Amino acid sequence: AVNEARLWDSLMEMAKIGATEKGGVCRIALTDLDREGRDLFVKWCKDAGCTISVDQMGNIFARRPGKNNDLPPVMTGSHLDSQPTGGKFDGVYGVLAGLEVVRTLNDFGIETDAPVEVAVWTNEEGSRFAPAMVASGVFAGVFDLDYGLSRADLDGKTMGEELKRIGYAGDLPVGGRPIGAYFEAHIEQGPILEAETKTIGVVTHAQGQRWYEVNVIGQDAHAGPTPMERRKDALVGAARMVGEVNRIGLAHKPFGRATVGLLNPIPNSRNVIPGKVFFTIDFRNPNEDALTAMDAEMRASLAKIAEEQGLEIEITQIWHSPVVTFHEKCVGAVRNATQRLGFSNMEIVSGAGHDACYINRVAPTGMIFIPCEDGISHNEIENAAPADCAAGCNVLLHAMVEAATA
Amino acid sequence: AVNEARLWDSLMEMAKIGATEKGGVCRIALTDLDREGRDLFVKWCKDAGCTISVDQMGNIFARRPGKNNDLPPVMTGSHLDSQPTGGKFDGVYGVLAGLEVVRTLNDFGIETDAPVEVAVWTNEEGSRFAPAMVASGVFAGVFDLDYGLSRADLDGKTMGEELKRIGYAGDLPVGGRPIGAYFEAHIEQGPILEAETKTIGVVTHAQGQRWYEVNVIGQDAHAGPTPMERRKDALVGAARMVGEVNRIGLAHKPFGRATVGLLNPIPNSRNVIPGKVFFTIDFRNPNEDALTAMDAEMRASLAKIAEEQGLEIEITQIWHSPVVTFHEKCVGAVRNATQRLGFSNMEIVSGAGHDACYINRVAPTGMIFIPCEDGISHNEIENAAPADCAAGCNVLLHAMVEAATA
Ligand SMILES: NC(=O)NCCC(=O)O
Ligand SMILES: NC(=O)NCCC(=O)O
């Protein structure tokens, strides 16, 4: 069994890097704080006897050798970057659960047949650089390297530049090598396990996602002398569109999700009628056809609103991550480990995207969910119980050892 | 008569400072570009034989002596700051029309009885530091000096700090000295003069304004796993409120105006349900009772939306500038000069606030409007005809000379 206190202490130690006043974490991808988090992880892994390599997307691999190092590694991992108002567990838990597996194997002097690796994937959140999971996507061959390195934040800084700046632009080619199996432990980030009072979610699928960027174009004008009927107020139009996106989510209950997370009026000045609004849409559905239907409904409604308001509109789908079915072998390994260890459990569909979704394309992959308080994530108050963190980590340990044993 | 080409050349020269790609100007209050604009104005005034003084709010006064320098000065002026996507005329025109009056008096060797002053008022736009017209407001005793100097931008920088930084924190006490009369020339910033094909607007009144800051508070949560019915999406609520503000403006046609110009979701990340939205409201009406009614309707509707959406709301009125009636003596002087010079004209109510609105409280004040293309202002494409600029400046010259002659 893993060391619950050690795992918890590591989580709390890492959470100091980018700690916010409200008890959360702001450790945005490829900032100085992301570098600090990476440095601490690398130090801990070296102390645990691992060798470190970094690829050209800044993905970090900490390797614990096995008996037969020609065997493909059994890998786990997740991400260290956070949302601007993120929590202490999203991503970090999966990384430090991996480290705890290594430390536990060391404690008991266990030598696996295959080597074990713990991965940190760059920019999983997709908050600073869209889309999400871009570096595991390059690893899995979904995106090419140039696409990955050229992703830019709203200030125009690219991932390539920022990786160099923080010293994590590695030499290793991205992907293209065999992995025996990949497991990722994560907080659920939703309310289901808590509501059902289950300790472990055996993740079978992940929802499909479509992300969009929308520009609504009207005309800047003075808020005082411009009569209401002469206005081309891009924000009035965008506001109706936000309502419509939400309506589409509600119309696809219980499984559809529709969110406008980012919205920037331009010029964003109190006494100027906004001439332009840039906003994003995040659509999800575990059913690919329903996701396609949401796309069509959204395009029709937004065009209609734009026409009615005398505005122009440009809608660009910037990302499509189809519904994922995890690998039966790994889902089975998670289920077996959970049952063997006697944890209450249920099958669950991931509402969030995870690096595991992309790694599943190049290696047999499975995921382990643990509950989080009130189902709240992407929030500074995100919380998880030490015992649940240890439970998920024990399942991870057992699933990995099984997979790493010939 | 004034020199049309010289006035136009000065406008175009000043427009180079902060020039934008689309032909507009971005010269935001108390930035380095604002300093450059001020420096150029000061140089031009010194070349025209004026003495310069600067008060503690950074207001600049360029003085051309009269025969009797114990007489209170006849003053004109406006502002050099712009909106983020502003034009070449808003404010600048009134300042450079004042300079052109001085230059013309020099050309013809005219000595007025009273001294003539050209003022540049700090932060008229209210875009970086709210409210608008804050420095003329301190001059007129509407706000105290501490209030003025402590106005902060969204990054927390105060006007006091920024005035020091750009070297325009003067020694002169703000206000408290007699002014014989104040005239301000400005583009209309609305469509009326153009629609009525009049060259000069004799401004009789200015609309009342109320500005608000609104915080809508919900709960950050993950855009993927959070079911639609569990969300407290502050942006969905704020979007309904934007629609409601617009509806109130439309309900108060033809005179009411209602604008949400600035809106910031927090954390503003693509895959986070926004837990908070900060936005502003700008309400205007030439009828004070109607403005009060708009206030009441808005408070009731926004509270209702917040309740329906399960959100908290805080509404703060940060500014109230009541309806202004300009001084009969100065309105008459503008009307007389316009008629004497034979320009087509009409009486008009200002839709925008102007420094003249506050100076009217401490000195007899009048305003002169000229048309602007398509009624468009607070936009980079803002435009005015050279002949109209000269016409307004000639009216200003005649009104000022009349007022400065005993
Ligand atoms: N796990 C997680 O929060 N991933 C971010 C990408 C997403 O929004 O699904
Ligand atoms: N003239 C002008 O644009 N003033 C800014 C203040 C306002 O919004 O009325």
Coordinates of all heavy atoms in Angstrom, one line a residue, chain A residues 72-154:
Chain A
P72 N 8.6 -2.1 -23.4 CA 8.0 -0.8 -23.4 C 7.6 -0.4 -21.9 O 7.1 -1.3 -21.2 CB 6.8 -0.9 -24.3 CG 6.5 -2.3 -24.5 CD 7.8 -3.1 -24.2
P73 N 7.8 0.8 -21.5 CA 7.4 1.2 -20.2 C 5.9 1.2 -19.9 O 5.1 1.4 -20.8 CB 8.0 2.7 -20.1 CG 7.9 3.2 -21.5 CD 8.3 2.0 -22.3
V74 N 5.6 1.0 -18.7 CA 4.2 1.2 -18.2 C 4.2 2.6 -17.6 O 5.0 3.0 -16.8 CB 3.8 0.2 -17.1 CG1 2.5 0.6 -16.5 CG2 3.7 -1.2 -17.8
M75 N 3.3 3.4 -18.2 CA 3.4 4.9 -17.9 C 2.2 5.4 -17.2 O 1.1 4.9 -17.3 CB 3.5 5.6 -19.3 CG 4.0 7.1 -19.1 SD 4.0 8.0 -20.7 CE 5.5 7.4 -21.4
T76 N 2.4 6.4 -16.3 CA 1.3 7.1 -15.7 C 1.7 8.6 -15.8 O 2.8 8.9 -16.2 CB 1.0 6.7 -14.3 OG1 -0.1 7.4 -13.8 CG2 2.2 7.0 -13.3
G77 N 0.7 9.5 -15.4 CA 1.1 10.9 -15.4 C -0.2 11.7 -15.6 O -1.3 11.2 -15.6
S78 N 0.1 13.0 -15.7 CA -1.0 14.0 -15.8 C -0.3 15.3 -16.0 O 0.8 15.4 -16.6 CB -2.0 14.0 -14.6 OG -3.2 14.6 -14.9
H79 N -0.8 16.4 -15.5 CA -0.2 17.7 -15.8 C 0.0 18.6 -14.5 O -0.7 18.3 -13.5 CB -1.1 18.5 -16.7 CG -2.5 18.7 -16.2 ND1 -2.9 19.9 -15.6 CD2 -3.6 17.9 -16.2 CE1 -4.2 19.7 -15.3 NE2 -4.6 18.5 -15.6
L80 N 0.9 19.5 -14.6 CA 1.1 20.4 -13.4 C 0.6 21.8 -13.6 O 0.6 22.6 -12.7 CB 2.6 20.5 -13.1 CG 3.3 19.2 -12.5 CD1 4.8 19.4 -12.4 CD2 2.7 18.9 -11.2
D81 N 0.1 22.1 -14.9 CA -0.4 23.5 -15.1 C -1.8 23.5 -14.5 O -2.5 22.5 -14.4 CB -0.4 23.8 -16.6 CG -1.4 23.0 -17.4 OD1 -1.4 21.8 -17.2 OD2 -2.0 23.6 -18.3
S82 N -2.3 24.7 -14.2 CA -3.6 24.9 -13.6 C -4.4 26.0 -14.4 O -3.8 26.7 -15.2 CB -3.5 25.3 -12.1 OG -3.3 26.8 -12.1
Q83 N -5.6 26.1 -14.0 CA -6.5 27.2 -14.5 C -6.0 28.5 -13.7 O -5.4 28.4 -12.7 CB -7.9 26.9 -14.2 CG -8.5 25.8 -15.0 CD -8.7 26.3 -16.5 OE1 -8.9 27.4 -16.8 NE2 -8.7 25.3 -17.4
P84 N -6.4 29.7 -14.2 CA -6.1 30.9 -13.5 C -6.6 30.9 -12.0 O -6.0 31.4 -11.1 CB -6.8 32.0 -14.3 CG -7.0 31.5 -15.6 CD -7.2 30.0 -15.5
T85 N -7.8 30.4 -11.8 CA -8.4 30.2 -10.5 C -8.6 28.7 -10.3 O -9.7 28.2 -10.2 CB -9.7 31.0 -10.3 OG1 -10.6 30.6 -11.4 CG2 -9.4 32.5 -10.3
G86 N -7.5 28.0 -10.3 CA -7.5 26.5 -10.2 C -7.4 26.0 -8.8 O -7.2 26.7 -7.8
G87 N -7.4 24.6 -8.7 CA -7.3 24.0 -7.4 C -6.0 23.2 -7.2 O -5.1 23.3 -8.0
K88 N -5.9 22.6 -6.1 CA -4.7 21.9 -5.7 C -4.5 20.4 -6.2 O -3.5 19.8 -6.0 CB -4.6 21.8 -4.1 CG -4.5 23.1 -3.4 CD -4.2 23.0 -1.9 CE -5.4 22.7 -1.1 NZ -6.2 23.8 -0.8
F89 N -5.6 20.0 -6.9 CA -5.6 18.5 -7.3 C -5.7 18.2 -8.8 O -5.1 17.3 -9.2 CB -6.8 17.9 -6.6 CG -6.8 18.0 -5.1 CD1 -7.3 19.1 -4.4 CD2 -6.1 17.1 -4.3 CE1 -7.2 19.2 -3.0 CE2 -6.0 17.2 -2.9 CZ -6.5 18.3 -2.3
D90 N -6.4 19.1 -9.5 CA -6.6 18.9 -10.9 C -5.2 18.8 -11.6 O -4.5 19.7 -11.7 CB -7.4 20.1 -11.5 CG -7.6 20.1 -13.0 OD1 -7.2 19.1 -13.7 OD2 -8.1 21.1 -13.5
G91 N -4.9 17.5 -12.1 CA -3.6 17.3 -12.8 C -2.6 16.9 -11.8 O -2.0 15.8 -11.9
V92 N -2.3 17.8 -10.8 CA -1.2 17.5 -9.9 C -1.4 16.1 -9.2 O -0.4 15.4 -9.0 CB -1.2 18.6 -8.8 CG1 0.1 18.5 -8.0 CG2 -1.4 19.9 -9.4
Y93 N -2.6 15.8 -8.9 CA -2.9 14.6 -8.2 C -2.4 13.4 -9.0 O -1.7 12.5 -8.5 CB -4.4 14.4 -7.9 CG -4.7 13.0 -7.4 CD1 -4.1 12.5 -6.3 CD2 -5.6 12.2 -8.2 CE1 -4.4 11.2 -5.9 CE2 -5.9 10.9 -7.8 CZ -5.3 10.4 -6.6 OH -5.6 9.1 -6.3
G94 N -2.6 13.4 -10.3 CA -2.2 12.3 -11.2 C -0.7 12.2 -11.3 O -0.1 11.1 -11.3
V95 N 0.0 13.3 -11.3 CA 1.5 13.4 -11.3 C 2.1 12.8 -10.1 O 2.9 12.0 -10.1 CB 2.0 14.8 -11.6 CG1 3.5 14.9 -11.5 CG2 1.5 15.2 -13.0
L96 N 1.5 13.3 -8.9 CA 2.1 13.0 -7.6 C 1.7 11.6 -7.2 O 2.4 10.9 -6.5 CB 1.9 14.0 -6.6 CG 2.5 15.4 -7.0 CD1 2.2 16.4 -5.8 CD2 4.0 15.3 -7.3
A97 N 0.5 11.1 -7.7 CA 0.2 9.7 -7.4 C 1.2 8.8 -8.2 O 1.6 7.8 -7.6 CB -1.2 9.4 -7.9
G98 N 1.6 9.2 -9.4 CA 2.7 8.5 -10.1 C 4.0 8.4 -9.3 O 4.6 7.4 -9.2
L99 N 4.3 9.6 -8.8 CA 5.6 9.6 -8.0 C 5.5 8.7 -6.8 O 6.4 8.0 -6.4 CB 5.9 11.1 -7.6 CG 7.0 11.3 -6.6 CD1 8.3 10.9 -7.2 CD2 7.1 12.8 -6.2
E100 N 4.3 8.7 -6.1 CA 4.0 7.9 -4.9 C 4.1 6.4 -5.3 O 4.6 5.6 -4.5 CB 2.7 8.3 -4.3 CG 2.4 7.5 -3.0 CD 3.4 7.6 -1.9 OE1 4.1 8.6 -1.8 OE2 3.6 6.5 -1.2
V101 N 3.7 6.1 -6.5 CA 3.8 4.7 -6.9 C 5.3 4.3 -7.0 O 5.8 3.3 -6.4 CB 3.2 4.5 -8.3 CG1 3.6 3.1 -8.9 CG2 1.7 4.5 -8.2
V102 N 6.1 5.2 -7.5 CA 7.6 5.0 -7.6 C 8.2 4.8 -6.2 O 9.0 3.9 -5.9 CB 8.3 6.1 -8.4 CG1 9.8 6.0 -8.3 CG2 7.9 6.0 -9.9
R103 N 7.8 5.8 -5.4 CA 8.4 5.8 -4.0 C 8.0 4.5 -3.3 O 8.8 3.9 -2.5 CB 7.9 7.0 -3.2 CG 8.5 8.3 -3.7 CD 7.8 9.5 -3.1 NE 8.6 10.7 -3.2 CZ 8.1 12.0 -2.9 NH1 6.9 12.1 -2.5 NH2 8.9 13.0 -3.1
T104 N 6.7 4.1 -3.5 CA 6.2 2.8 -2.8 C 7.0 1.6 -3.3 O 7.4 0.7 -2.6 CB 4.7 2.7 -3.0 OG1 4.1 3.8 -2.5 CG2 4.2 1.4 -2.3
L105 N 7.2 1.6 -4.7 CA 8.0 0.4 -5.2 C 9.4 0.4 -4.6 O 9.9 -0.6 -4.3 CB 8.1 0.6 -6.8 CG 6.8 0.4 -7.5 CD1 7.0 0.7 -9.0 CD2 6.2 -1.0 -7.4
N106 N 9.9 1.6 -4.4 CA 11.3 1.7 -3.8 C 11.2 1.2 -2.3 O 12.0 0.4 -1.9 CB 11.8 3.2 -3.8 CG 12.1 3.7 -5.2 OD1 12.2 2.9 -6.1 ND2 12.3 5.0 -5.3
D107 N 10.2 1.7 -1.6 CA 10.0 1.3 -0.2 C 10.1 -0.2 0.0 O 10.7 -0.8 0.9 CB 8.7 1.7 0.4 CG 8.6 3.2 0.6 OD1 9.6 3.9 0.5 OD2 7.5 3.7 0.8
F108 N 9.3 -0.9 -0.9 CA 9.2 -2.4 -0.8 C 10.2 -3.1 -1.7 O 10.2 -4.3 -1.8 CB 7.8 -2.8 -1.2 CG 6.7 -2.3 -0.2 CD1 6.0 -1.1 -0.4 CD2 6.5 -3.0 1.0 CE1 5.1 -0.7 0.6 CE2 5.6 -2.6 1.9 CZ 4.9 -1.4 1.7
G109 N 11.1 -2.3 -2.3 CA 12.2 -3.0 -3.1 C 11.6 -3.8 -4.2 O 12.2 -4.9 -4.6
I110 N 10.5 -3.4 -4.8 CA 9.9 -4.2 -5.9 C 10.5 -3.8 -7.2 O 10.6 -2.6 -7.5 CB 8.4 -3.9 -5.9 CG1 7.7 -4.4 -4.6 CG2 7.7 -4.5 -7.2 CD1 6.2 -3.9 -4.5
E111 N 10.9 -4.8 -7.9 CA 11.5 -4.6 -9.2 C 10.4 -5.1 -10.2 O 10.1 -6.3 -10.2 CB 12.8 -5.4 -9.4 CG 13.9 -4.6 -10.1 CD 15.1 -5.5 -10.3 OE1 15.3 -6.5 -9.6 OE2 15.9 -5.1 -11.2
T112 N 9.9 -4.2 -11.1 CA 8.9 -4.6 -12.1 C 9.7 -5.2 -13.3 O 10.9 -4.9 -13.5 CB 8.1 -3.4 -12.5 OG1 9.0 -2.3 -12.9 CG2 7.2 -3.0 -11.4
D113 N 9.0 -6.0 -14.1 CA 9.6 -6.4 -15.3 C 9.9 -5.3 -16.3 O 11.1 -5.0 -16.7 CB 8.8 -7.5 -16.1 CG 8.7 -8.8 -15.2 OD1 9.6 -9.0 -14.5 OD2 7.6 -9.4 -15.4
A114 N 8.8 -4.6 -16.6 CA 9.0 -3.4 -17.5 C 9.4 -2.2 -16.7 O 9.0 -2.1 -15.5 CB 7.7 -3.1 -18.3
P115 N 10.0 -1.2 -17.3 CA 10.3 0.1 -16.6 C 9.0 0.8 -16.3 O 8.0 0.6 -17.1 CB 11.2 0.9 -17.5 CG 11.2 0.2 -18.8 CD 10.6 -1.2 -18.6
V116 N 9.0 1.7 -15.3 CA 7.8 2.5 -15.0 C 8.1 3.9 -15.3 O 9.3 4.4 -15.0 CB 7.4 2.3 -13.5 CG1 6.6 3.4 -13.0 CG2 6.8 0.9 -13.3
E117 N 7.3 4.7 -15.9 CA 7.5 6.1 -16.2 C 6.4 7.0 -15.6 O 5.2 6.6 -15.7 CB 7.7 6.4 -17.7 CG 9.0 5.8 -18.2 CD 9.3 6.2 -19.6 OE1 8.7 7.2 -20.2 OE2 10.3 5.7 -20.2
V118 N 6.8 8.1 -15.1 CA 5.8 9.1 -14.7 C 5.9 10.3 -15.7 O 7.0 10.9 -15.8 CB 6.0 9.6 -13.3 CG1 4.9 10.5 -12.8 CG2 6.1 8.4 -12.3
A119 N 4.8 10.7 -16.3 CA 4.9 11.8 -17.3 C 4.2 13.0 -16.8 O 3.2 13.0 -16.1 CB 4.2 11.3 -18.6
V120 N 4.8 14.2 -17.1 CA 4.1 15.5 -16.9 C 3.9 16.1 -18.3 O 4.8 16.3 -19.1 CB 5.0 16.5 -16.1 CG1 4.4 17.9 -16.1 CG2 5.3 15.9 -14.7
W121 N 2.6 16.2 -18.7 CA 2.3 16.7 -20.0 C 2.1 18.2 -20.0 O 1.5 18.8 -19.0 CB 1.0 16.1 -20.5 CG 1.0 14.6 -20.5 CD1 0.4 13.7 -19.6 CD2 1.7 13.7 -21.5 NE1 0.7 12.4 -19.9 CE2 1.5 12.4 -21.1 CE3 2.5 14.0 -22.6 CZ2 2.0 11.3 -21.7 CZ3 3.0 12.9 -23.3 CH2 2.8 11.6 -22.8
T122 N 2.6 18.9 -21.0 CA 2.6 20.4 -21.0 C 1.2 20.9 -21.4 O 0.6 20.3 -22.3 CB 3.6 20.9 -22.1 OG1 4.9 20.4 -21.7 CG2 3.6 22.4 -22.2
N123 N 0.8 22.0 -20.8 CA -0.4 22.7 -21.2 C -1.6 21.8 -21.4 O -2.2 21.8 -22.4 CB -0.2 23.6 -22.4 CG -1.4 24.5 -22.8 OD1 -1.8 25.2 -22.0 ND2 -1.8 24.4 -24.0
E124 N -2.0 21.1 -20.4 CA -3.2 20.3 -20.5 C -4.4 21.1 -20.4 O -5.4 20.9 -21.1 CB -3.2 19.2 -19.4 CG -4.3 18.1 -19.6 CD -5.6 18.5 -18.9 OE1 -5.7 19.5 -18.2 OE2 -6.6 17.8 -19.2
E125 N -4.4 22.2 -19.6 CA -5.6 22.9 -19.3 C -6.2 23.6 -20.6 O -7.4 23.8 -20.7 CB -5.4 24.0 -18.2 CG -5.1 23.3 -16.8 CD -6.4 22.7 -16.2 OE1 -7.4 22.7 -16.8 OE2 -6.2 22.1 -15.2
G126 N -5.3 24.1 -21.4 CA -5.8 24.8 -22.6 C -6.3 26.2 -22.3 O -7.0 26.8 -23.1
S127 N -6.0 26.7 -21.1 CA -6.5 28.0 -20.7 C -5.6 29.1 -21.3 O -6.1 30.0 -21.9 CB -6.4 28.1 -19.1 OG -6.8 29.4 -18.7
R128 N -4.3 29.0 -21.1 CA -3.4 30.0 -21.7 C -3.3 29.7 -23.2 O -3.3 30.7 -24.0 CB -2.1 30.0 -21.1 CG -1.1 31.0 -21.7 CD 0.2 31.1 -20.9 NE 1.1 32.1 -21.6 CZ 2.3 32.2 -21.4 NH1 2.9 31.4 -20.5 NH2 3.1 33.1 -22.0
F129 N -3.0 28.5 -23.6 CA -2.8 28.1 -25.0 C -3.9 27.1 -25.4 O -4.0 26.0 -24.8 CB -1.5 27.5 -25.3 CG -0.3 28.3 -24.8 CD1 0.3 28.0 -23.6 CD2 0.2 29.3 -25.6 CE1 1.4 28.8 -23.1 CE2 1.3 30.0 -25.2 CZ 1.9 29.8 -23.9
A130 N -4.8 27.5 -26.3 CA -5.8 26.5 -26.8 C -5.3 25.7 -27.9 O -4.4 26.2 -28.7 CB -7.1 27.3 -27.2
P131 N -5.7 24.5 -28.2 CA -6.6 23.7 -27.3 C -6.0 23.1 -26.1 O -4.8 23.2 -25.9 CB -7.1 22.7 -28.3 CG -5.9 22.3 -29.1 CD -5.2 23.6 -29.3
A132 N -6.8 22.4 -25.3 CA -6.3 21.6 -24.2 C -5.6 20.4 -24.7 O -5.6 20.0 -25.8 CB -7.5 21.2 -23.3
M133 N -4.8 19.8 -23.8 CA -4.1 18.5 -24.1 C -3.2 18.6 -25.3 O -3.1 17.6 -26.0 CB -5.1 17.4 -24.2 CG -6.0 17.1 -23.0 SD -7.8 17.2 -23.3 CE -8.0 15.8 -24.5
V134 N -2.7 19.7 -25.6 CA -2.0 19.9 -26.9 C -0.7 19.1 -27.0 O -0.4 18.5 -28.0 CB -1.9 21.4 -27.3 CG1 -0.9 22.1 -26.3 CG2 -1.4 21.6 -28.7
A135 N 0.0 19.0 -25.9 CA 1.3 18.4 -25.9 C 1.2 16.8 -25.9 O 1.9 16.1 -26.6 CB 2.2 18.8 -24.8
S136 N 0.2 16.3 -25.2 CA -0.1 14.9 -25.3 C -0.7 14.6 -26.7 O -0.5 13.5 -27.3 CB -1.0 14.4 -24.2 OG -2.2 15.1 -24.1
G137 N -1.4 15.6 -27.3 CA -1.9 15.4 -28.7 C -0.8 15.3 -29.7 O -0.8 14.5 -30.6
V138 N 0.3 16.1 -29.5 CA 1.4 16.0 -30.4 C 2.1 14.6 -30.2 O 2.5 13.9 -31.2 CB 2.5 17.1 -30.2 CG1 3.7 16.9 -31.1 CG2 1.8 18.5 -30.5
F139 N 2.2 14.2 -28.9 CA 2.8 12.9 -28.6 C 2.1 11.8 -29.3 O 2.7 10.8 -29.8 CB 2.8 12.7 -27.1 CG 3.5 11.5 -26.6 CD1 4.9 11.6 -26.2 CD2 2.9 10.2 -26.6 CE1 5.5 10.4 -25.7 CE2 3.6 9.1 -26.1 CZ 4.9 9.2 -25.7
A140 N 0.8 11.9 -29.4 CA -0.1 10.9 -30.0 C -0.2 11.0 -31.5 O -1.0 10.2 -32.1 CB -1.4 10.9 -29.3
G141 N 0.4 12.0 -32.0 CA 0.3 12.2 -33.5 C -1.0 12.9 -34.0 O -1.2 12.9 -35.2
V142 N -1.7 13.4 -33.1 CA -3.0 14.1 -33.4 C -2.7 15.4 -34.0 O -3.3 15.9 -35.0 CB -3.9 14.2 -32.2 CG1 -5.2 15.0 -32.6 CG2 -4.2 12.9 -31.6
F143 N -1.7 16.1 -33.5 CA -1.2 17.4 -34.0 C 0.3 17.2 -34.4 O 1.0 16.4 -33.8 CB -1.2 18.5 -32.9 CG -2.6 18.6 -32.2 CD1 -2.7 18.4 -30.9 CD2 -3.7 18.9 -33.0 CE1 -3.9 18.6 -30.2 CE2 -5.0 19.0 -32.3 CZ -5.0 18.9 -31.0
D144 N 0.7 18.0 -35.4 CA 2.2 17.9 -35.6 C 2.9 18.9 -34.7 O 2.4 19.8 -34.1 CB 2.5 18.0 -37.1 CG 2.1 19.4 -37.7 OD1 2.1 20.4 -37.0 OD2 1.8 19.4 -38.9
L145 N 4.2 18.7 -34.7 CA 5.1 19.5 -33.7 C 5.0 21.0 -34.0 O 4.8 21.8 -33.0 CB 6.5 19.0 -33.9 CG 7.5 19.7 -32.9 CD1 7.2 19.4 -31.4 CD2 9.0 19.2 -33.2
D146 N 5.0 21.4 -35.2 CA 4.9 22.8 -35.5 C 3.6 23.4 -35.0 O 3.6 24.6 -34.5 CB 4.9 23.1 -37.1 CG 6.3 22.9 -37.6 OD1 7.3 22.9 -36.7 OD2 6.5 22.9 -38.8
Y147 N 2.5 22.7 -35.2 CA 1.2 23.2 -34.7 C 1.3 23.4 -33.2 O 0.9 24.4 -32.6 CB 0.1 22.1 -35.0 CG -1.2 22.5 -34.4 CD1 -2.1 23.3 -35.1 CD2 -1.6 22.0 -33.1 CE1 -3.4 23.6 -34.5 CE2 -2.8 22.3 -32.6 CZ -3.7 23.1 -33.3 OH -4.9 23.5 -32.7
G148 N 1.9 22.4 -32.5 CA 2.0 22.5 -31.0 C 2.9 23.7 -30.6 O 2.4 24.5 -29.8
L149 N 4.0 23.8 -31.2 CA 4.9 24.9 -30.8 C 4.4 26.3 -31.1 O 4.8 27.3 -30.5 CB 6.3 24.7 -31.4 CG 7.0 23.4 -30.8 CD1 8.4 23.2 -31.6 CD2 7.3 23.5 -29.3
S150 N 3.5 26.3 -32.1 CA 3.1 27.7 -32.6 C 1.8 28.1 -31.9 O 1.3 29.2 -32.2 CB 2.9 27.7 -34.1 OG 1.9 26.8 -34.4
R151 N 1.2 27.3 -31.0 CA 0.0 27.7 -30.3 C 0.4 29.0 -29.5 O 1.4 29.0 -28.8 CB -0.5 26.7 -29.3 CG -1.1 25.4 -29.8 CD -2.1 25.6 -30.8 NE -1.5 25.7 -32.1 CZ -2.1 26.4 -33.1 NH1 -3.2 27.1 -33.0 NH2 -1.5 26.5 -34.3
A152 N -0.4 30.1 -29.6 CA -0.1 31.3 -29.0 C -1.2 31.7 -28.0 O -2.3 31.4 -28.1 CB 0.0 32.4 -30.1
D153 N -0.7 32.5 -26.9 CA -1.7 33.0 -26.0 C -2.3 34.3 -26.5 O -2.0 34.7 -27.6 CB -1.1 33.2 -24.6 CG 0.1 34.2 -24.6 OD1 0.2 35.0 -25.5 OD2 0.8 34.2 -23.6
L154 N -3.2 34.9 -25.8 CA -3.9 36.1 -26.3 C -2.9 37.3 -26.5 O -3.2 38.2 -27.2 CB -5.1 36.5 -25.4 CG -6.3 35.5 -25.4 CD1 -7.5 36.1 -24.6 CD2 -6.8 35.2 -26.8

